[in-house]
Amino acid sequence: MHLYAPKIQKQTTGLPINNDCQSLHEESDLDMVQRCLNGDEVGMRGLVERYQSIVFGLCYRMLGHREDAEDIVQDVFLRMFRSLRNWDQSRPLKPWLLTIAANRCRTALTQLSRRPTVKDFAFETIADTQPITSEGVGEEIQLALEKARPEYRLCFILFYQQELNCSEIATIMDCPEGTIKTWLHRVRRELADHLQRRGIRPNVCPELR
Amino acid sequence: MSVQNCDEFRERLEWCIEQRMFYEHNLHLHAEHCSMCVEVWEQQQTLDAVIQTWSRATPEIDFADAIVTAWQRGSSPSKEITRSEENREVRHGDSEKPAGPSIAQVQNNQPSPVSDHNKSTRDRSRPHSILVVVCTLLLMFAWSAGLFGPSQTPEQPIVKNPDHLVPDSKSSAEDKRPALQNSQAADNTPNDQQQDTIAIRGVLSQTGVAWRGLATQAIEDIEGAADFVPTLDQFAVLFRQDDPPPSVDESTEPNENEDEQPLLRQHWDRAVDRLIDAIPFGNGTFI
């Protein structure tokens, strides 16, 4: 029995689904890629719609900033289109795409770290002075994640948000599975300590019950 | 029912986390009865609940139009960002667009997979680079055509007598004078310029001789002053450890070297004065 049920892919466009789009959603990744390679705009659009939420979720959680994440997402898909001929069709598309996204996020984090920012100070000041609200509970995790090492952060996001297993994460991050388990354990420990310091417990926050 | 120890509890807990399994009943039982593990158990329960709240809070987006448009244009995608609400109104018209170029065609148009950001930055910096190159070429042309005048390239005096050789530190101060005088003589006739040059060389030669003499005397004075510096053996005699430390009254008494100190200071002051005298001022004169 699984603790975290897999997410259901939602139709985010809000448009009526015609037969073409319906068949597009049923197409395999390989067929979509072939359509993209043939210059089919509908195929490209379908591929973006299929994976944009996944890629954006990773970038948004990694960077902690929506606009930065949006830039990275578009860059990731453009790079994917450029490199689509090099994709090994015997392997699934999603880990390959997430690898591109993870690499782009790490590059962006390196660039962002060189920029001076007052975000940390301001956020910590607010966090330390204001009581925890129901909306703030999720932000506490994000705050603690931004303090963690980038590889811990990526590992945590891939595991809990992308719902990949340790073997898949090891493939994406190009490191042994045992290392992933160690990183996962350490980041959980850091986050648990952070929550404890902030006094977050299920009996304190009713929304966690 | 098997009873777990603390190590087994933690290993099993990690396994359940990694495999995304519900926590077993044994884990729950152990945590209830173990004061050491109950804190870990509660922390994991809290963390699981917070993670579920955290993972639900991702905003929804729709980049399909922006990305496809950016791909077709081959431009920077950052300025093409449209939110999902805006895209819903535009998407109906997009289906009527002609099919874009194939990936192979676009790859041919983009020889190197550089990022669009780098490409736009390169395009912006191109006019600046061209401007810098043009300005550099103009400056080089003006320099070679002599538009800056002869004062920029002063003629260096040729010293043939080795006695007149002066140290390099002097040359920087002396360079100003011939440059100034050359600029003043620029309007004179060639004969006047030649005479001025000969006169300047004579002055420079005399200056070098004078400076060398002053420097030599200063060195001799320094060497004389250095003779008064006691050696290590003399220091050992002066500050023998078996001697009792001087009392307050003794420290105020005159030293045994009192007679020598004025001579030492005299030599030292004279050496410093001579060195100061040897330094030429900006107008080329000495003190």
Side-chain angles (χ1 to χ4, degrees), chain A:
Chain A
M1 189 182 303
H2 283 77
L3 183 60
Y4 301 101
K7 291 178 181 175
I8 299 170
Q9 189 71 28
K10 295 178 182 177
Q11 179 70 25
T12 57
T13 59
L15 292 172
I17 303 173
N18 57 26
N19 290 334
D20 188 27
C21 291
Q22 197 167 13
S23 63
L24 199 66
H25 283 281
E26 293 170 356
E27 278 189 40
S28 67
D29 285 342
L30 185 59
D31 294 336
M32 301 270 278
V33 168
Q34 287 298 333
R35 293 178 70 157
C36 290
L37 289 172
N38 293 330
D40 184 2
E41 184 186 334
V42 178
M44 296 173 73
R45 191 184 303 277
L47 204 57
V48 172
E49 287 176 351
R50 179 174 292 183
Y51 288 110
Q52 63 180 357
S53 297
I54 295 171
V55 175
F56 178 73
L58 173 64
C59 298
Y60 180 61
R61 294 302 180 190
M62 278 295 288
L63 302 175
H65 190 267
R66 176 167 181 154
E67 292 182 357
D68 288 341
E70 288 172 347
D71 291 344
I72 298 298
V73 167
Q74 299 189 53
D75 191 23
V76 166
F77 277 105
L78 291 176
R79 284 171 184 267
M80 183 195 73
F81 287 145
R82 286 191 199 111
S83 309
L84 214 47
R85 285 187 177 277
N86 302 326
W87 171 55
D88 183 1
Q89 297 183 354
S90 63
R91 306 179 74 173
L93 183 67
K94 181 181 171 182
W96 181 71
L97 182 59
L98 286 177
T99 304
I100 298 174
N103 289 334
R104 293 302 304 153
C105 286
R106 279 188 282 196
T107 305
L109 281 174
T110 306
Q111 293 170 347
L112 288 172
S113 65
R114 295 172 189 153
R115 261 190 239 166
T117 177
V118 295
K119 180 185 174 187
D120 291 341
F121 171 75
F123 200 46
E124 284 179 8
T125 305
I126 293 169
D128 290 342
T129 54
Q130 291 186 351
I132 305 296
T133 61
S134 58
E135 295 83 10
V137 172
E139 291 178 1
E140 286 293 331
I141 287 283
Q142 187 65 34
L143 175 63
L145 271 180
E146 289 176 11
K147 292 178 180 175
R149 287 169 52 177
E151 57 267 26
Y152 291 3
R153 195 187 314 174
L154 180 59
C155 181
F156 183 87
I157 293 167
L158 290 175
F159 186 82
Y160 283 107
Q161 200 195 33
Q162 304 297 330
E163 296 176 348
L164 302 178
N165 59 39
C166 291
S167 174
E168 291 170 325
I169 297 172
T171 304
I172 290 173
M173 297 184 71
D174 194 20
C175 57
E177 190 176 339
T179 306
I180 298 298
K181 290 180 180 177
T182 304
W183 287 351
L184 197 59
H185 174 77
R186 287 179 184 169
V187 70
R188 281 181 64 93
R189 169 58 50 198
E190 288 182 10
L191 296 181
D193 290 344
H194 176 83
L195 294 179
Q196 192 176 26
R197 283 197 303 273
R198 297 285 295 139
I200 297 176
R201 289 172 178 275
N203 55 356
V204 175
C205 303
E207 63 274 6
L208 298 182
R209 289 176 184 170

